């Protein structure tokens, strides 16, 4: 055995595989304690290979025996793989290994969840199933035989044959090992069919535990809508006779796009009106679409190596965002995506974990399934589309599919398709993939004799390992409004390529009001000082819905900052603007709800940090409450009227129209509850016939310190539903008074229903704790200690989830010296834990610097 000390892997060290795989035959003899995996793999030397030693990855495997071309061999085995002398030409490798699925608590490889067998192989889980070149650029044709006493035995591709206690599968499409999947369990299917544009009749199944069969209809409808959309918008049809989705309770991620056999965290597929909120329905629809879209962007064209992860994830997120926009409205979707990006990715970029969309190195690839790779990766695709136009984008994507189908590609391959299809030079744009950090654009302007000059200056702050940044190629969409709010210059796409550029607009009658970065045309922070009056005009009149919302957002931010800094009451002009928006029936209710929702406490902290100040979480919490109270008092009558008119009659429908009305009525309810001692919320709770209304009412009640009775009733009603109980755990922490957040979380860890080994349940408590800024950052450090205790406890069982939750500490540097000291102590305590996983070790080290 060799020492397996964590090693850093570098993009620059990429070496083409020395051997390629033609076919893989796997036989599984399932048993919880000792599963046997027999593999027969046909290898041939890769003429372009740059590795001269035959090497197979393998971890936690017991090798029973191995042969090459039928002759027994004795490989040299290490903790991470094996080597063996091999013939010069093609050969057949056979191995018999033993693994223990029931002992696999990391939920990576083959493991058990609630009595069923399932797999998770991305990124490097297959090496825990058998010895294999576990890298995405080795693609093979898989045939699988499963033997086990489970009624349902599933793998990738199409079914070949089956009998009592066995089933055989064949996947005709070559794939890397990370797309392998196997499921065996006592499952039932919600089934349907779909005929593709190419005339293929596809059987569709969503496999669940018997009690969940009534929660599959929505997911099935979302799957069919995704299949239609990908045919119509991208010209991509499905390519097997069968598409299976399986819901699994114990799952580290949201879902996984295994070829023909997607495996989902049950929270991301099961939906029913009395147990799922509007937000759940929208999220489930998007995740089903995302995983389905991977069939082309990820599976048919995969990544050469894990540094190219954004190639499949950024593009597929962009595709699912567009899909949701098409179904539910682009304006609100763009706002929600910008909110997510700012809350997750901009914060990641601002801290010690900042990394490029395509990182240059990693220790544990599981730590790079990040907002930067996914969400910023999607923004890069959106910018490319803006730069080349809709037709150029379509041509580039068609070329990409034609040229790289069946291949493992790189970002360079991807950008080359855009250049070849449109003639655009994207050399400078490629920097977006390599340079970390959120660019800031500072706007200045002047107006002389009818000519308006708009000057944009870009700057990307230093990030770990990248002190000096170069100017980026940035599309900045700009329009100009006259002082009366009419549009004098419609949207123009300005392309920044230098550090500082001035754009000229001639023949204007009056000094215009600029609307900059329309539709959030680039993932940047805009430093643009505008008067409250100009922002008021944009809020009332901007033809670009995103910037209309953004103007209101900036006004709200300034109101909150004034409240935090000086205890100031909201500016009456801001309240007038809100009132006008709230009562404007021409605006979509969901859009009005987005304008009424204040920036979060974290958003206020971000703004203070950018202004060079140290945020005080408790002060931000109380100042924001004061502002909410003032808004409620000022808009009481209008809110009361809107609350009444936005009630949705008739049976529940999760689609955007009704969901938008509920969003607005519940946003208004959260304000009204501050004035009516919870009367309306209590009535809504009593009368609710769907989860959206029920939990919104409970949320409002908890927010004013009431709702303990409702909380008990909620538990009594839903204790048999694990997904709803996750909400019960999370909500009471999220809505607790900051002084009680930690004790509430701590007492919930002693609840008999707190199954801490289940990632969803763990996150429902500790994700809510870490997300409660004022509660988590309690001055005595009790929040840090509680989280550290539990991460130390979870790490030996589930390194992936532990490492991901360590990021709760990544904002350390923005707080005062006392809090920094306490966070550092908690992290150091985690770091010193004996046998800490590679995942968590890497994350703690990066945060501690
Ligand atoms: Zn994905």
């Amino acid at each position: 055995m060799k020492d397996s000390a964590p090693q850093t892997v570098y993009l620059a060290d990429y070496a083409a595989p020395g051997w390629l795989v033609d076919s893989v035959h796997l036989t599984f003899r399932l048993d919880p304690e000792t599963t046997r995996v027999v593999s027969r793999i046909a290898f041939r030397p890769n003429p372009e290979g740059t590795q001269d030693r035959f090497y197979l990855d393998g971890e936690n495997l017991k090798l029973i025996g191995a042969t090459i071309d039928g002759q027994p061999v004795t490989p040299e085995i290490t903790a991470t793989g094996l080597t063996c002398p091999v013939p010069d030409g093609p050969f057949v490798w056979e191995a018999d290994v033993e693994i223990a699925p029931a002992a696999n608590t990391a939920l990576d490889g083959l493991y058990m969840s609630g009595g069923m067998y399932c797999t998770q192989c991305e990124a490097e889980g297959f090496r825990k199933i058998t010895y294999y070149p576990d890298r995405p650029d080795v693609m093979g044709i898989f045939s699988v035989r499963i033997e086990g006493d489970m009624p349902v035995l599933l793998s990738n591709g199409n079914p070949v044959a089956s009998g009592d206690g066995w089933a055989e599968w064949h996947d005709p499409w070559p794939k890397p090992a990370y797309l392998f999947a196997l499921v065996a369990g006592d499952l039932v299917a919600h089934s349907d069919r779909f005929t593709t544009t190419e005339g293929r009749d596809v059987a569709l199944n969503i496999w669940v535990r018997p009690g969940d069969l009534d929660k599959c209809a929505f997911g099935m409808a979302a799957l069919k809508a995704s299949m239609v959309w990908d045919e119509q918008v991208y010209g991509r049809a499905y390519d097997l006779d069968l598409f299976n989705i399986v819901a699994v309770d114990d799952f580290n991620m949201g879902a996984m796009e295994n070829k023909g056999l997607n495996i989902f965290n049950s929270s991301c597929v099961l939906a029913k009106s009395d147990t799922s909120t509007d937000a759940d329905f929208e999220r489930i629809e998007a995740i089903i679409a995302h995983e389905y879209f991977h069939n082309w962007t990820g599976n048919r064209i995969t990544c050469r190596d894990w540094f190219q992860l954004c190639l499949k994830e950024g593009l597929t997120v962009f595709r699912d965002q567009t899909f949701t926009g098409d179904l539910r409205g682009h304006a609100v979707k763009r706002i929600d995506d910008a909110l997510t990006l700012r809350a997750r990715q901009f914060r990641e970029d601002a801290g010690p974990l900042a990394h490029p969309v395509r990182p240059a190195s990693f220790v544990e690839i599981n730590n790079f399934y990040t907002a930067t790779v996914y969400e910023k990766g999607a923004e890069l695709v959106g910018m490319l589309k803006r730069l080349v136009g809709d037709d150029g984008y379509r041509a580039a994507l068609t070329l990409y599919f034609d040229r790289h189908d069946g291949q493992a590609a790189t970002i360079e391959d991807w950008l080359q398709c855009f250049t070849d299809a449109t003639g655009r030079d994207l050399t400078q744009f490629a920097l977006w993939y390599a340079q970390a950090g959120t660019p800031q654009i500072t706007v200045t302007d002047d107006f002389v004799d009818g000519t308006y000059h708009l000057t944009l200056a870009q700057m990307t702050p230093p990030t770990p390992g990248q002190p000096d940044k170069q100017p980026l190629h940035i599309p900045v969409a700009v329009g100009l409004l006259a002082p009366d709010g009419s549009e004098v210059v419609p949207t123009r796409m300005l392309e920044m390529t230098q550090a500082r550029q001035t754009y000229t607009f001639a023949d204007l009658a009056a000094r215009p009001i600029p609307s900059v970065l329309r539709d959030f045309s680039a993932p940047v922070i805009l430093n643009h000082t505008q008067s409250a009056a100009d922002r008021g005009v944009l809020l009332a009149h901007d033809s670009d819905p995103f910037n209309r919302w953004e103007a209101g957002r900036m006004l709200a931010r300034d109101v909150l900052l004034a409240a935090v800094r000086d205890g100031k009451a909201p500016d009456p002009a801001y309240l007038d603007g809100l009132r006008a928006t709230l009562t404007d029936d021409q605006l979509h209710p969901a859009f009005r709800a987005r304008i009424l929702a204040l920036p979060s406490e974290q958003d206020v902290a971000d703004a203070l940090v950018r202004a060079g100040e140290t945020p005080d979480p408790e002060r931000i919490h109380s100042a924001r409450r004061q502002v909410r109270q003032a808004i409620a008092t000022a808009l009481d009558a209008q809110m009361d009227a809107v609350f009444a008119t936005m009630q949705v009659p008739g049976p529940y429908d999760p689609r955007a129209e009704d969901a938008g009305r509920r969003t607005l009525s519940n946003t208004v309810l959260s304000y009204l509850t501050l004035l009516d001692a919870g009367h309306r919320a209590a009535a809504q709770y009593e009368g609710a016939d769907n989860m959206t209304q029920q939990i919104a009412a409970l949320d409002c009640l908890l927010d004013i310190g009431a709702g303990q009775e409702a909380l008990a009733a909620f538990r009594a009603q839903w204790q048999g539903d694990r997904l709803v109980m996750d909400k019960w755990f999370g909500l009471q922490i999220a809505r607790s008074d900051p002084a009680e957040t930690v004790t509430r979380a701590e007492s919930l860890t002693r609840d008999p229903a707190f199954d801490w080994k289940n990632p969803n349940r763990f996150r429902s408590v500790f994700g809510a704790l870490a997300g409660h800024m004022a509660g988590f950052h309690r001055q005595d450090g009790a929040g840090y200690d509680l989280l550290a205790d539990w991460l130390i406890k979870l790490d030996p069982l589930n390194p992936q989830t532990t490492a991901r939750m360590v990021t709760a500490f990544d904002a350390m540097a923005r707080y005062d010296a006392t809090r920094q000291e306490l966070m550092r102590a908690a992290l150091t305590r985690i770091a010193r834990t004996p046998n800490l996983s590679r995942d968590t070790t890497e994350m703690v080290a990066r945060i501690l610097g």
Side-chain angles (χ1 to χ4, degrees):
M1 300 291 273
K2 213 170 69 179
D3 178 38
S4 66
Q7 299 230 319
T8 303
V9 185
Y10 296 92
L11 168 61
D13 291 347
Y14 173 80
W19 284 262
L20 299 175
V21 167
D22 286 323
S23 65
V24 186
H25 291 261
L26 298 172
T27 301
F28 288 82
R29 295 193 185 100
L30 295 176
D31 180 86
E33 316 300 334
T34 51
T35 286
R36 288 291 271 270
V37 184
V38 179
S39 60
R40 193 170 79 245
I41 307 165
F43 284 102
R44 73 185 142 87
N46 178 11
E48 275 128 50
T50 49
Q51 293 178 312
D52 44 14
R53 200 178 61 142
F54 181 70
Y55 181 81
L56 300 178
D57 301 292
E59 284 177 28
N60 306 329
L61 304 172
K62 184 173 160 194
L63 183 66
I64 308 293
T67 63
I68 288 180
D69 291 333
Q71 299 301 311
V73 291
T74 309
E76 184 192 330
I77 297 178
T78 71
T80 55
L82 61 73
T83 56
C84 188
V86 296
D88 281 342
F91 62 92
V92 174
W93 160 269
E94 291 186 85
D96 185 355
V97 306
E98 194 177 284
I99 53 177
N104 179 357
T105 58
L107 316 183
D108 189 20
L110 177 68
Y111 66 96
M112 304 206 67
S113 169
M116 68 189 274
Y117 296 83
C118 55
T119 54
Q120 170 59 33
C121 293
E122 187 178 357
E124 297 179 336
F126 193 75
R127 63 188 60 185
K128 295 176 178 174
I129 292 174
T130 193
Y131 288 100
Y132 197 78
D134 190 6
R135 43 187 291 168
D137 56 354
V138 173
M139 301 164 86
I141 305 267
F142 279 64
S143 303
V144 176
R145 178 181 168 90
I146 312 169
E147 298 172 10
D149 58 351
M150 291 284 181
V152 175
L153 304 168
L154 306 172
S155 190
N156 313 87
N158 295 315
V160 176
S162 62
D164 196 22
W166 64 274
E168 290 179 356
W169 293 81
H170 177 74
D171 182 357
W173 298 102
K175 65 170 176 287
Y178 81 87
L179 291 173
F180 169 81
L182 176 152
V183 170
D186 186 4
L187 300 167
V188 290
H190 175 101
S191 302
D192 207 331
R193 301 200 79 81
F194 182 86
T195 304
T196 69
T197 43
E198 295 167 353
R200 184 189 290 271
D201 183 32
V202 185
L204 311 175
N205 298 299
I206 299 181
W207 296 92
V208 296
R209 302 201 308 207
D212 290 328
L213 204 52
D214 61 344
K215 293 181 179 172
C216 300
F218 179 79
M220 183 59 80
L223 173 60
K224 291 166 79 175
S226 310
M227 297 177 88
V228 170
W229 189 88
D230 214 17
E231 290 179 346
Q232 291 179 346
V233 180
Y234 279 83
R236 301 294 119 196
Y238 188 61
D239 54 7
L240 289 166
D241 302 331
L242 178 62
F243 189 84
N244 281 322
I245 287 176
V246 183
V248 173
D249 287 339
D250 300 287
F251 204 71
N252 281 330
M253 318 273 282
M256 177 62 211
E257 70 264 22
N258 317 299
K259 182 80 186 188
L261 178 56
N262 288 2
I263 298 182
F264 274 60
N265 186 320
S266 51
S267 70
C268 297
V269 56
L270 301 179
K272 202 173 139 204
S273 65
D274 55 351
T275 55
S276 311
T277 63
D278 290 334
D280 294 331
F281 278 100
E282 182 174 331
R283 188 171 49 89
I284 286 165
E285 183 179 81
I287 295 174
I288 287 181
H290 178 97
E291 305 308 333
Y292 174 73
F293 297 157
H294 266 315
N295 190 53
W296 275 93
T297 51
N299 300 4
R300 289 284 285 260
I301 304 178
T302 191
C303 307
R304 187 194 71 176
D305 53 71
W306 291 119
F307 295 101
Q308 323 292 330
L309 181 58
C310 63
L311 180 72
K312 76 179 180 76
E313 294 305 342
L315 175 55
T316 307
V317 170
F318 179 74
R319 274 150 54 71
D320 82 58
Q321 289 174 344
T322 314
F323 168 79
T324 299
D326 283 355
L327 260 63
R328 292 172 178 266
H330 286 281
V332 168
K333 179 60 180 159
R334 192 69 189 127
I335 291 168
D336 290 349
D337 290 341
L339 284 170
T340 305
L341 189 80
R342 288 170 177 169
R344 299 183 57 226
Q345 201 278 323
F346 282 16
R347 264 171 224 148
E348 191 165 83
D349 254 351
L353 300 175
H355 57 275
V357 170
R358 183 170 66 177
S361 69
F362 62 75
V363 173
E364 172 51 65
I365 184 58
N366 286 328
N367 289 336
F368 282 89
Y369 285 72
T370 60
T372 296
V373 170
Y374 279 65
E375 269 79 30
K376 188 175 177 182
E379 291 296 324
L380 305 199
V381 179
M383 282 193 288
L384 278 171
K385 188 172 184 213
R386 287 187 186 90
L387 289 173
V388 303
D390 290 354
D391 292 343
Y393 178 77
R394 183 178 278 269
L397 266 287
T398 303
L399 180 60
Y400 177 65
F401 290 123
D402 288 348
R403 186 182 281 175
H404 295 293
D405 187 10
Q407 294 181 0
T410 63
I411 290 302
E412 284 73 17
D413 295 331
W414 157 254
L415 289 175
Q416 193 61 46
C417 290
F418 278 79
T419 298
D420 292 349
T422 68
R424 290 293 309 249
D425 178 0
L426 296 169
T427 314
Q428 189 183 7
F429 186 84
L431 264 182
W432 276 104
Y433 287 94
Q435 196 165 280
T438 306
Q440 300 192 12
I441 294 182
T442 301
V443 182
T444 50
D445 59 357
D446 67 58
F447 181 70
V448 183
D449 298 335
T451 298
Y452 179 68
H453 299 283
L454 182 74
T455 300
L456 306 178
Q458 61 163 302
M459 185 278 295
T460 304
T463 49
Q466 292 188 334
D468 301 310
K469 304 298 170 84
Q470 298 171 52
L472 293 160
H473 186 176
I474 311 177
V476 183
V478 172
L480 300 180
L481 276 66
D484 68 356
S486 59
E487 187 162 80
V488 288
V489 174
T491 303
R492 196 177 286 178
M493 197 63 72
L494 309 179
E495 292 191 22
M496 274 198 95
T497 52
Q498 296 159 34
R500 184 185 171 87
Q501 276 168 281
T502 297
Y503 304 88
T504 301
F505 301 84
D507 303 324
L508 296 169
R511 183 187 188 98
I513 300 169
S515 168
V516 184
L517 204 68
R518 281 184 158 178
D519 200 35
F520 197 51
S521 61
V524 302
I525 292 167
L526 206 59
N527 298 318
H528 188 190
T529 309
Q530 275 182 301
S531 69
D534 281 1
R535 292 202 202 280
V537 172
L538 291 165
L539 171 60
H541 300 289
D542 200 329
S543 64
D544 180 71
F546 183 86
N547 267 4
R548 200 169 170 180
W549 167 81
E550 184 80 318
R553 189 84 177 167
M554 290 296 104
L555 287 168
R557 183 199 62 186
D558 291 347
V559 161
L560 287 165
L561 289 177
V564 172
R565 286 171 178 151
D566 311 311
K568 269 195 195 156
D571 187 335
Y574 169 63
L575 296 173
D576 290 345
L578 271 191
R579 190 179 290 109
T581 312
L582 173 65
T583 53
D584 184 347
D585 293 334
Q586 302 300 308
L587 294 174
H588 194 282
F591 183 75
R592 283 192 266 167
R594 297 303 186 284
I595 288 184
L596 272 185
L598 287 180
S600 69
E601 293 172 23
Q602 290 276 12
D603 294 331
V604 177
D606 291 342
L608 287 168
V609 169
R610 261 174 230 141
E613 298 170 48
T614 302
D616 175 342
E618 275 133 12
R619 189 173 176 143
I620 293 171
H621 181 79
S622 60
R624 189 170 176 278
R625 281 196 86 84
Q626 277 169 31
V627 170
R628 292 185 64 230
Q629 188 81 35
I631 292 171
T633 306
L635 273 62
D636 183 19
Q638 292 83 9
M639 285 188 169
D640 188 54
V642 167
F643 183 68
T645 55
M646 284 297 137
Q647 296 304 314
V648 183
Y652 176 86
D653 185 336
R655 280 176 296 184
E657 199 53 45
D658 285 4
R661 293 170 70 93
R662 281 187 292 269
T663 304
L664 181 55
S665 78
N666 286 328
T667 304
V668 161
L669 180 65
S670 72
Y671 284 104
L672 291 170
T673 303
L674 301 175
L675 304 176
D676 75 353
H679 286 305
R680 291 182 188 81
Q684 177 167 315
Y685 186 85
E686 285 304 315
D689 66 352
N690 63 74
M691 183 50 68
T692 307
Q693 297 298 86
Q694 189 179 18
I695 208 149
L698 180 60
D699 189 319
C700 291
L701 291 170
L702 292 171
D703 190 44
I704 57 163
Q708 291 309 309
E709 268 175 47
L711 202 56
F714 191 90
R715 182 191 187 128
Q717 184 181 357
W718 296 117
Q719 56 191 345
D721 189 303
R722 57 211 184 278
L723 296 176
V724 180
M725 282 302 287
D726 288 336
K727 299 182 197 298
W728 181 84
F729 274 93
L731 191 62
Q732 51 188 310
I733 297 168
R735 288 293 163 265
S736 60
D737 184 272
E740 290 162 13
T741 309
V742 175
T743 42
R744 177 58 66 103
E746 200 276 329
S747 74
L748 284 170
T749 61
R750 282 183 271 113
D751 190 290
F754 180 65
D755 172 9
W756 62 278
K757 295 176 185 175
N758 175 268
N760 291 358
R761 190 58 48 88
F762 191 90
R763 272 191 295 262
S764 73
V765 168
F766 291 104
L769 172 65
H772 192 311
M773 191 174 77
F776 179 57
H777 294 285
R778 222 172 82 165
Q779 229 159 2
D780 64 358
Y784 310 147
D785 286 341
L786 182 66
L787 182 60
D789 289 346
W790 280 91
L791 293 178
I792 288 168
K793 185 170 171 174
L794 185 65
D795 184 69
L797 266 74
N798 190 332
Q800 273 187 42
T801 295
T802 308
R804 225 157 265 156
M805 297 213 60
V806 167
T807 58
F809 292 103
D810 83 336
M812 188 163 72
R814 61 165 52 184
Y815 291 104
D816 55 84
T818 311
R819 287 186 170 92
Q820 282 194 34
E821 190 96 340
L822 291 164
M823 275 189 259
R824 189 168 287 279
L827 282 169
T828 306
R829 192 153 62 86
I830 297 173
R832 288 186 182 153
T833 306
N835 302 318
L836 194 71
S837 68
R838 183 175 60 187
D839 305 56
T840 307
T841 302
E842 181 188 19
M843 290 303 263
V844 172
R846 284 167 66 201
I847 295 172
L848 285 171

